Amino acid sequence: MDIRYSCNQRDFKRYTTEETRSEFLIENLYVPNEVVAVYSHVDRMVTLGCMPTTETVSIDKGIDIWHNFGTQYFLERREIGIFNIGGAGTITVDGTVYELGYKDCLYITMGAKEVLFASKEADKPAKFYMVSAPAHCSYETRLIKIEDAAKRPLGAMETSNKRTINQFIHPDVLKTCQLSMGMTVLDPGSVWNTMPAHTHERRMEIYMYFEIPENNVVFHMMGEGKETRHIVMQNEQAVISPSWSIHSGAGTSNYTFIWAMGGENQAFDDMDNIPTTELR
């Protein structure tokens, strides 16, 4: 498991391109029949990727659970949200099988002991993208299909940011301890996300960009509003955004991204807005 420690906004101002990428960018999430995991000390969030092909893969494969979490199993004191961005697949949770198609989501509550991933077809594997947060009580494990997500249209073509926010793991859809997750889809011709920019002083956020067309990229903006930086991101990569950092981006094409938040609350509109003309 890759461990990332917290970075403060003062030191971040001196980071080189490579230091910024090493600290916040998550690459190579999908390795056949493996679990890729990155533990961030920013709100103790864990980002994972799993692409089962010829095997059924356990969520704890290759992870030293006791050393990293001090628990007997992965979700003993955690909850997790899982999206499938690949071919059809299944997730088995303590014997119950959930079938996930493209862009479907499964929330697994604290206390689930066995979590297994499998693909329906080895040559069209599922790609399970996951974010896990610490939890203090159990709710209900639930499958949320893309058509059942709460839709929230935002932006306009005139400002190149017409998009639809699909809320999956969200208070309007289901109860969780602290984890919130959703998927934002940009319309063709729109490239900006989360603009005007804002920060969440009380929450951190993780973005995972996908559906980026070949030979295109997303310039992900981060840093304090008065002194921004960027990371150039490619398809199916994720980025960690601390509470002091803005998190927005512009692509060379339209794209889709999955956002995950954890922290003090789950209020979607609890943000500190920054006027675009004040960005530096």
Side-chain angles (χ1 to χ4, degrees):
M1 180 181 285
D2 183 6
I3 308 294
R4 308 281 181 94
Y5 290 90
S6 300
C7 165
N8 66 66
Q9 60 269 51
R10 296 178 300 278
D11 292 343
F12 177 63
K13 295 176 183 180
R14 299 190 293 271
Y15 273 30
T16 65
T17 296
E18 284 308 311
E19 286 172 327
T20 300
R21 292 174 68 86
S22 296
E23 184 77 27
F24 301 104
L25 179 65
I26 301 173
E27 304 176 272
N28 304 316
L29 277 164
Y30 304 104
V31 178
N33 298 321
E34 299 293 339
V35 174
V36 176
V38 177
Y39 185 112
S40 172
H41 278 267
V42 181
D43 287 302
R44 299 192 178 275
M45 302 286 272
V46 182
T47 304
L48 308 98
C50 180
M51 185 177 68
T53 54
T54 58
E55 300 177 13
T56 296
V57 180
S58 174
I59 194 172
D60 58 1
K61 183 178 182 180
I63 300 174
D64 186 337
I65 297 298
W66 177 255
H67 176 75
N68 288 292
F69 303 108
T71 57
Q72 298 300 315
Y73 53 94
F74 189 93
L75 295 176
E76 183 176 338
R77 294 286 296 173
R78 287 185 160 270
E79 58 187 350
I80 194 168
I82 306 171
F83 280 83
N84 181 15
I85 64 165
T90 62
I91 302 175
T92 303
V93 183
D94 290 338
T96 300
V97 179
Y98 298 89
E99 297 193 2
L100 278 74
Y102 188 58
K103 294 184 176 180
D104 290 341
C105 172
L106 179 67
Y107 168 75
I108 306 177
T109 191
M110 183 188 81
K113 291 186 177 179
E114 184 182 61
V115 180
L116 304 173
F117 304 105
S119 295
K120 289 293 185 70
E121 300 178 52
D123 59 343
K124 298 178 182 176
K127 291 182 178 180
F128 296 111
Y129 171 71
M130 302 167 262
V131 176
S132 173
H136 59 273
C137 63
S138 296
Y139 287 104
E140 177 187 3
T141 295
R142 182 174 158 190
L143 175 65
I144 307 128
K145 295 286 189 177
I146 177 63
E147 56 266 25
D148 297 325
K151 314 292 183 183
R152 183 168 177 172
L154 283 178
M157 288 301 298
E158 292 78 9
T159 49
S160 302
N161 67 348
K162 187 176 182 183
R163 61 202 190 274
T164 300
I165 296 177
N166 297 272
Q167 297 169 334
F168 286 82
I169 300 174
H170 186 274
D172 291 342
V173 180
L174 81 164
K175 262 192 169 183
T176 66
C177 286
Q178 66 160 314
L179 184 66
S180 295
M181 293 184 73
M183 178 188 301
T184 300
V185 181
L186 274 71
D187 283 18
S190 287
V191 296
W192 279 103
N193 75 69
T194 323
M195 186 62 71
H198 61 260
T199 59
H200 300 287
E201 185 58 35
R202 293 151 292 280
R203 290 177 290 172
M204 65 88 72
E205 194 155 5
I206 300 167
Y207 278 9
M208 192 282 292
Y209 291 97
F210 69 110
E211 292 189 326
I212 301 175
E214 189 177 2
N215 298 322
N216 285 267
V217 297
V218 171
F219 289 76
H220 180 81
M221 312 301 295
M222 59 183 308
E224 292 180 287
K226 298 288 188 183
E227 191 162 343
T228 63
R229 303 288 188 272
H230 71 267
I231 296 178
V232 179
M233 300 189 61
Q234 298 186 26
N235 195 40
E236 298 180 356
Q237 294 180 343
V239 61
I240 300 166
S241 178
S243 61
W244 47 262
S245 175
I246 67 168
H247 39 277
S248 65
T252 55
S253 172
N254 63 311
Y255 50 88
T256 301
F257 67 97
I258 294 169
W259 44 267
M261 289 186 282
E264 295 290 346
N265 63 44
Q266 295 176 305
F268 184 75
D269 293 321
D270 182 9
M271 58 188 69
D272 302 309
N273 292 300
I274 302 172
T276 303
T277 54
E278 294 184 10
L279 292 173
R280 297 291 184 268

